[in-house]
Amino acid sequence: MLIDSHCHLDYLDRNGVDLDEVVARAGRAGVGLMVTICTKVTEFPTILAIAERFPNVYCSVGIHPHEAESEPEVTAERLVELAQNPKVVGIGETGLDYFYEHSPREAQQKSFRAHIAAARETGLPLIVHTRDADEDTIGIMRDEYEKGAYPGLIHCFSSSAWLAREAVSMGFGISVSGIVTFKTAEALRDAVAEVAMDKLLVETDAPYLAPVPNRGKQNEPAFVVHTAERLADLKGVPLSELEERTTENFLSLFKKVNPSALAA
């Protein structure tokens, strides 16, 4: 059984995809649970409604760094309040994106710290997006860690081995997406090869980043199997072991998830 630790079912729904079919295809592929991720707190009710519709779908609450300026400023207290719903199992996605810089860096950093405070208070994992911002991401994470520990993961890992080592040293997980299957991703595969098995998770980031052999298609949770196969090959373990370990890692990090929610 696999878990897609990060997807955007609301985006698929918006694109006209039947979510009942998406969840059914995931189940047939051996994907027993999904976390649909919030990128705009103003759209949280929509994300929550999707999670409440399916027994094996959970969600997060947060603001993507791209939206740090356009969304209403969110406080840690507000995030904590919204996270009380039993279907909310993570805080984010949040973090820093200096590649596109759709929001000013200062706004991104302020939002990131508010999310970290909420993760610290709730004990829910912080879901971190980072692109072209390795040093500032780790700098803020370490600065906040000194105020008190908090759980989390680097989602859709595509950064340096240094960032992975720094994040793991704080107890963070590393979530691997379909990028690991791309022909040009040799440096990423080298970095992921260094990460211990007990820190690895898998995700799709659907509808983006469909893995080989589905490149060019709209991604969906069922396709996480291809990422898992490539990761198992990279780590030199059978797929069954990779499935077991990443599922254990997910449940260890996302402690609010009821294991009985995994589809049979």
Side-chain angles (χ1 to χ4, degrees), residues 183-202:
K183 183 178 180 180
T184 57
E186 199 59 44
L188 173 62
R189 285 188 284 274
D190 289 343
V192 169
E194 293 186 21
V195 179
M197 283 283 289
D198 65 354
K199 293 299 180 185
L200 289 171
L201 297 88
V202 289

Side-chain angles (χ1 to χ4, degrees), residues 3-12 14 33-51 57-65 67 87-95 115 125-129 153-156 175 201-208 221 250 254 257:
I3 294 175
D4 183 356
S5 67
H6 191 116
C7 61
H8 298 277
L9 296 182
D10 59 315
Y11 293 2
L12 287 167
R14 197 178 304 155
L33 192 142
M34 293 141 266
V35 181
T36 188
I37 302 297
C38 183
T39 60
K40 297 180 180 180
V41 77
T42 54
E43 295 180 356
F44 173 68
T46 299
I47 285 89
L48 179 60
I50 291 171
V57 176
Y58 286 84
C59 69
S60 69
V61 60
I63 298 176
H64 193 287
E67 317 298 340
K87 276 287 187 168
V88 179
V89 297
I91 302 295
E93 64 185 284
T94 182
H115 285 72
L126 185 75
I127 301 161
V128 177
H129 168 109
L153 74 157
I154 306 297
H155 116 82
C156 193
S175 185
L201 297 88
V202 289
E203 65 170 88
T204 56
D205 203 13
Y208 309 111
F250 174 91
F254 289 83
V257 171

Side-chain angles (χ1 to χ4, degrees), residues 114-125:
H115 285 72
I116 291 173
R120 184 187 297 113
E121 182 169 342
T122 60
L124 299 180

Side-chain angles (χ1 to χ4, degrees), residues 142-231:
R142 285 213 169 277
D143 183 52
E144 291 292 333
Y145 205 81
E146 291 177 1
K147 302 174 186 177
Y150 54 92
L153 74 157
I154 306 297
H155 116 82
C156 193
F157 177 73
S158 59
S159 299
S160 64
W162 173 81
L163 183 138
R165 288 192 294 269
E166 290 292 311
V168 167
S169 74
M170 286 183 274
F172 268 50
I174 302 295
S175 185
V176 179
S177 73
I179 297 174
V180 78
T181 70
F182 296 178
K183 183 178 180 180
T184 57
E186 199 59 44
L188 173 62
R189 285 188 284 274
D190 289 343
V192 169
E194 293 186 21
V195 179
M197 283 283 289
D198 65 354
K199 293 299 180 185
L200 289 171
L201 297 88
V202 289
E203 65 170 88
T204 56
D205 203 13
Y208 309 111
L209 303 173
V212 175
N214 300 113
R215 292 288 287 135
K217 297 181 181 178
Q218 185 165 241
N219 204 1
E220 61 178 78
F223 296 169
V224 78
V225 174
H226 303 299
T227 298
E229 289 171 343
R230 188 66 182 90
L231 186 56

